[in-house]
Amino acid sequence: MSHEPPGDDALLRAIARGDSQALADLYDRHSGWLHARLTRRCPDPETVREVLQDTFVTAWRSAAGHGGGAAGGWLWVIAVRRLADARRAAARAGGRDLLAAQEPGTAPSAEEDVLAGLEYGDVGAALDRISPELRAVLRATVVDGLTTRETARLLGIPEGTVKTRASRARRELRAALVALGPAGGAAC
């Protein structure tokens, strides 16, 4: 008789009851890909470690409020918010921008420019105009470079749905960029 490991929902219910082993199991299951994705968005390893830790502390405190759905997506939302908090704290403290941390005298990489545009530019504004489920697919596949299979697993949806949403998201993003004006429309 094979023993299947508990699913994420079961782990979250156990965490809500105060089961620290369930938190350790959830950490073991999700920390690797979370670390990889955070590292793509922030080059500072110490900040990534702190954000990862804060993510799971928040999961420990908030597990009872998890409304179902993919635990990976829920953890990623927490992680992104913690990273944004870390960036704001660094900016308030007069620190360097964590997204653009680089050697003095060097220009930002093309990837850093694109990520900054996703956060603050026309693309970011256009992304805000499309539905969250389409935005999540685009961020996972385009920004984070995940495969269709990885995205499906992360978001808890079938691979075919990832493909459909990605296609729809590109169309809607293109339309949103056009609606933003000449600069946005030229980007497509």
Side-chain angles (χ1 to χ4, degrees):
M1 176 186 253
S2 69
H3 177 67
E4 289 289 320
D8 288 345
D9 286 338
L11 289 175
L12 286 168
R13 285 190 302 274
I15 292 167
R17 292 188 305 267
D19 184 340
S20 60
Q21 182 58 50
L23 179 66
D25 292 345
L26 189 74
Y27 181 88
D28 289 344
R29 186 174 295 169
H30 292 282
S31 64
W33 68 263
L34 278 168
H35 186 273
R37 287 183 80 181
L38 288 167
T39 299
R40 289 182 187 148
R41 291 191 176 209
C42 178
D44 180 43
E46 183 61 30
T47 300
V48 169
R49 280 191 294 276
E50 288 174 13
V51 166
L52 191 60
Q53 178 180 354
D54 289 347
T55 298
F56 284 94
V57 168
T58 301
W60 172 259
R61 292 178 180 154
S62 305
H66 180 257
W74 180 67
L75 289 168
W76 179 241
V77 168
I78 294 170
V80 168
R81 288 179 180 159
R82 294 298 157 265
L83 183 57
D85 292 344
R87 286 179 178 158
R88 282 191 292 272
R92 279 193 306 271
R96 296 189 306 173
D97 179 356
L98 296 174
L99 181 62
Q102 56 192 10
E103 294 298 316
T106 62
S109 70
E111 181 181 52
E112 290 166 346
D113 285 342
V114 168
L115 290 174
L118 287 175
E119 297 289 331
Y120 309 110
D122 285 344
V123 175
L127 278 170
D128 287 341
R129 292 179 177 207
I130 67 175
S131 69
E133 50 278 342
L134 298 181
R135 187 170 45 245
V137 168
L138 273 184
R139 286 195 182 274
T141 58
V142 177
V143 177
D144 297 322
L146 299 179
T147 65
T148 299
R149 177 173 289 155
E150 292 166 334
T151 300
R153 185 171 174 204
L154 169 69
L155 299 177
I157 58 177
E159 289 181 42
T161 303
V162 170
K163 293 175 185 177
T164 301
R165 286 184 185 175
S167 176
R168 221 173 94 214
R170 286 184 182 97
R171 281 193 312 272
E172 288 189 21
L173 182 62
R174 196 173 298 117
L177 283 166
V178 168
L180 285 172
C188 282

